[in-house]
Amino acid sequence: MNNLLRDKNQPLTRTSYLLMWALVLTTLGFWRNGTDPVNIPKLLLLGGFSGLVLGNVVVAKLYKDNKVIFNLVGFFLLALTIPLVFASAPLVQQFYGVSGRNTGFLAYVFLAVLFLGAATLPRDSDYQAIPRAVLIAGYGSAFVCVLELLGVNLMGAVNNFGAIIGTLGNPNFVSAFSGMITVGSFALSLNPKFKLNQKLVFVSLSLLSLFLVIKSKSFQGLGATFLGIFFVLLLFVFYKRIWTLFYGLITAGIVGGSLIAAGLFEKGPLGSSVYQFTLPIRIQYWQAGLKMLFEHPLNGVGLNSYGDWYRYARDADALITPGAVVTTNVAHNVYIDFASNGGFFLLLTFSALFGATFFYSFNALRKLRNFDALLISCLSVWVVYLITAFFSIDQLGLAVWGWVIGGALI
């Protein structure tokens, strides 16, 4: 499968190989022993690859040509350290993250290093690592999920969800990851430079991943997937200059988006099919997180400490929905999690990192004269990650794609 995209005249650098396998193995990695077969092995793999990438970045002496990116990552790490030092939350909890998720200080340091490594890749050919990772991780995850549908549980974990959990431990995460692969492989299948057999490999992966999105029974993943497909189609017809279809898609997007947005709040003709009872619950979680931010604007309540403050910060309406006895340790929104855990400085530095990705991606799209399947594939995967991050929580097997591809787009 690796040979499908190999350019013998321009081999990948060591950093790009490391980033490729960081994406693949962090997503697929698990073990069968212990109380957490999913997150702990992913954190260990993430740390190993992060250390190797950091070594390559240091040896390559890339700071002079990449001062902006280095400084942005540095400010983010500084902002990440402030709540660790000044917040009253337990140090171990902040450092490693809560049990069953492990998205603490350590994990985000690892992700920031991978972001830096991806943002400073020296060769154009290095970006072939991304579609290779899409292929290997996509088919690998699909293999595990299909076996699970056939009754074979490789991970040996107890599954009480009534849907596939793959190597990520939760149907929502499987849905989000499969959605990213669906959209990314669909964009790559539109590459005019690919031969028919290459296109068929990506088309097959896209359809298989879409099937897994449906079998995961997660609406948020399905919605993000179709938004991603719409995004790819819109850019494809734009660069093909099919203006009638382009403006038709714009119109359909505005009308459909308005109906779906209304349906989310149980309004309009799609209200009965689109409305999710979890949305009012999530809104309560978001409100509690924002209250934590405004009451602790400088350093937040501490990394991974949302759950310690939820009962205090929740609105009175939360006693009805989701209920007085219901609690949570995460805001179910990555951006609000950063804000409540680390204050405005952490939110701003995180936004600056991903804002740089937006800035460079927008400039690249402006300069394009033809459809660039690799760029659009990376951008669409990243957009699906951002959408799911708005309604869900960070999971290492997903976050690694958002951070590595966010850096690579720069």
Side-chain angles (χ1 to χ4, degrees):
M1 192 177 294
N2 233 14
N3 293 330
L4 187 66
L5 299 164
R6 179 171 294 171
D7 184 348
K8 295 181 180 179
N9 297 320
Q10 291 184 304
L12 301 183
T13 58
R14 187 179 303 164
T15 299
S16 58
Y17 263 119
L18 289 170
L19 291 169
M20 179 183 77
W21 287 111
L23 289 171
V24 172
L25 296 180
T26 304
T27 300
L28 301 182
F30 65 88
W31 57 36
R32 292 179 62 91
N33 298 317
T35 57
D36 187 353
V38 175
N39 297 288
I40 294 176
K42 293 185 189 307
L43 182 64
L44 290 172
L45 287 164
L46 197 65
F49 283 109
S50 172
L52 293 171
V53 168
L54 180 61
N56 285 340
V57 170
V58 171
V59 170
K61 298 179 180 179
L62 300 170
Y63 176 75
K64 185 177 179 180
D65 297 324
N66 301 277
K67 290 181 180 178
V68 172
I69 305 305
F70 270 84
N71 291 338
L72 287 175
V73 171
F75 281 123
F76 172 77
L77 294 177
L78 174 61
L80 201 65
T81 305
I82 289 174
L84 197 71
V85 175
F86 294 103
S88 59
L91 184 61
V92 172
Q93 177 177 291
Q94 293 198 76
F95 194 76
Y96 291 106
V98 296
S99 176
R101 193 160 66 248
N102 294 110
T103 49
F105 174 85
L106 198 59
Y108 285 112
V109 169
F110 294 157
L111 291 169
V113 169
L114 295 181
F115 180 97
L116 182 62
T120 55
L121 288 172
R123 301 178 186 171
D124 288 346
S125 59
D126 285 332
Y127 297 95
Q128 294 176 19
I130 304 297
R132 293 189 200 183
V134 167
L135 280 173
I136 301 170
Y139 275 113
S141 176
F143 175 75
V144 175
C145 290
V146 169
L147 285 180
E148 191 177 350
L149 289 171
L150 296 174
V152 180
N153 186 352
L154 291 181
M155 190 161 54
V158 176
N159 182 355
N160 296 320
F161 293 100
I164 53 176
I165 61 173
T167 63
L168 298 170
N170 185 293
N172 288 329
F173 301 150
V174 171
S175 180
F177 174 72
S178 299
M180 290 192 293
I181 298 300
T182 299
V183 174
S185 53
F186 171 63
L188 288 166
S189 72
L190 299 175
N191 191 340
K193 297 179 181 178
F194 279 171
K195 298 177 182 178
L196 179 60
N197 66 321
Q198 292 174 305
K199 291 185 177 183
L200 288 176
V201 169
F202 285 109
V203 169
S204 300
L205 178 56
S206 185
L207 293 174
L208 178 58
S209 299
L210 180 59
F211 168 75
L212 295 176
V213 172
I214 295 170
K215 297 302 290 185
S216 70
K217 303 178 184 178
S218 170
F219 175 80
Q220 65 187 44
L222 188 64
T225 301
F226 281 106
L227 283 173
I229 291 172
F230 177 82
F231 178 72
V232 172
L233 285 174
L234 192 67
L235 290 177
F236 180 76
V237 298
F238 176 80
Y239 288 110
K240 290 294 183 180
R241 296 168 180 80
I242 310 174
W243 300 118
T244 302
L245 185 55
F246 175 75
Y247 290 115
L249 285 172
I250 290 286
T251 303
I254 293 173
V255 174
S258 301
L259 291 174
I260 291 172
L264 288 173
F265 294 93
E266 213 171 1
K267 306 290 184 182
L270 298 181
S272 59
S273 56
V274 173
Y275 174 75
Q276 297 285 298
F277 73 93
T278 58
L279 182 59
I281 298 174
R282 278 179 164 78
I283 291 175
Q284 291 295 340
Y285 295 162
W286 300 346
Q287 288 177 342
L290 292 174
K291 182 176 180 180
M292 295 177 205
L293 168 65
F294 286 108
E295 292 193 357
H296 302 83
L298 298 180
N299 52 258
V301 297
L303 303 178
N304 284 269
S305 299
Y306 176 97
D308 300 332
W309 289 81
Y310 171 69
R311 288 183 184 273
Y312 163 78
R314 65 184 175 183
D315 189 77
D317 290 340
L319 299 177
I320 302 172
T321 302
V325 298
V326 177
T327 188
T328 178
N329 59 16
V330 65
H332 291 78
N333 179 301
V334 173
Y335 316 103
I336 293 177
D337 270 326
F338 273 117
S340 61
N341 290 343
F344 280 106
F345 188 34
L346 183 57
L347 176 62
L348 289 172
T349 53
F350 170 71
S351 300
L353 273 182
F354 278 28
T357 301
F358 267 114
F359 175 77
Y360 287 110
S361 298
F362 180 72
N363 280 348
L365 291 175
R366 286 179 56 204
K367 294 175 183 177
L368 280 184
R369 294 295 175 263
N370 297 296
F371 183 80
D372 186 326
L374 177 54
L375 173 63
I376 304 304
S377 174
C378 290
L379 187 55
S380 62
V381 169
W382 191 66
V383 166
V384 172
Y385 168 75
L386 293 183
I387 294 170
T388 56
F390 191 84
F391 294 98
S392 189
I393 68 178
D394 248 352
Q395 202 271 356
L396 296 177
L398 298 176
V400 67
W401 290 83
W403 285 76
V404 169
I405 292 184
L409 283 166
I410 291 176

